[in-house]
Every structure is written in C-alpha cells, then in structure tokens.
Amino acid sequence: MPLLFLMRLLRTQLPVQVVEPEEIRDVSVLIATGLIEAKISALQPTGLYAKASMATVEGITDEGLAEIAKMGDAPRFAKTSMRFAGGLRLM
C-alpha cells in the first residue's frame, strides 16, 4: 500500500534506491499524487515500452509530510525490503 510505504520512507535515509516491483509501483503512485520526489528508470530499455526496474526516491514533499501527519497511528514496520544498488538491504 503506497501510504504505508510512504511512512517507511520517513524513517529511511534518503536518497534510497528501490528495486522490488511492488515497491516501484508504490513509488509510481506516490510520484503521481505529489507525495514524493523520485525518478523511475528501466535498466535496459528493449522496445517502445520498458518495464521499470529501479526507482530512486530523493525526498518526501511537504504534501507527503502532511499526509503522514494525518496517518499518525498507522502500523510501524520492523524491517523494510528497500535495497541499495549492489543488493544491500536497509533494516
């Protein structure tokens, strides 16, 4: 769910690279709604449409911070699946 992913980003040192397909979809929704600043890219475009394979989240917008403030009692996550390039995981 994109808003829960947004809350995880709040506790993550940015910028961060995201490589999991489900999380890239969350990033896409959060960009479209103006809640984060990020870039989504395909590693090797092979045709007219290339599936996104990596996103770099650069920051949370003021609108994103306001949305997080509204969700103050949402569940906290013990770990995250966001990974840096090279396979390193954030805990």
Side-chain angles (χ1 to χ4, degrees):
M1 168 168 262
L3 292 177
L4 295 178
F5 183 76
L6 178 63
M7 289 191 70
R8 288 189 1 225
L9 288 173
L10 183 64
R11 293 183 300 277
T12 303
Q13 183 176 355
L14 300 175
V16 66
Q17 291 183 338
V18 179
V19 296
E20 297 296 324
E22 295 164 6
E23 293 176 340
I24 292 173
R25 282 189 293 273
D26 289 343
V27 168
S28 176
V29 170
L30 294 170
I31 291 171
T33 55
L35 300 181
I36 64 170
E37 296 175 354
K39 295 178 184 173
I40 298 176
S41 61
L43 292 179
Q44 296 179 341
T46 57
L48 294 176
Y49 175 78
K51 189 173 181 179
S53 54
M54 184 177 65
T56 303
V57 179
E58 298 168 346
I60 300 173
T61 64
D62 290 339
E63 293 83 3
L65 294 173
E67 195 63 36
I68 290 169
K70 289 183 208 175
M71 302 178 355
D73 60 346
R76 297 188 179 266
F77 290 89
K79 66 178 188 176
T80 178
S81 61
M82 287 183 277
R83 288 186 279 168
F84 289 108
L88 298 175
R89 286 188 177 266
L90 294 174
M91 296 298 213

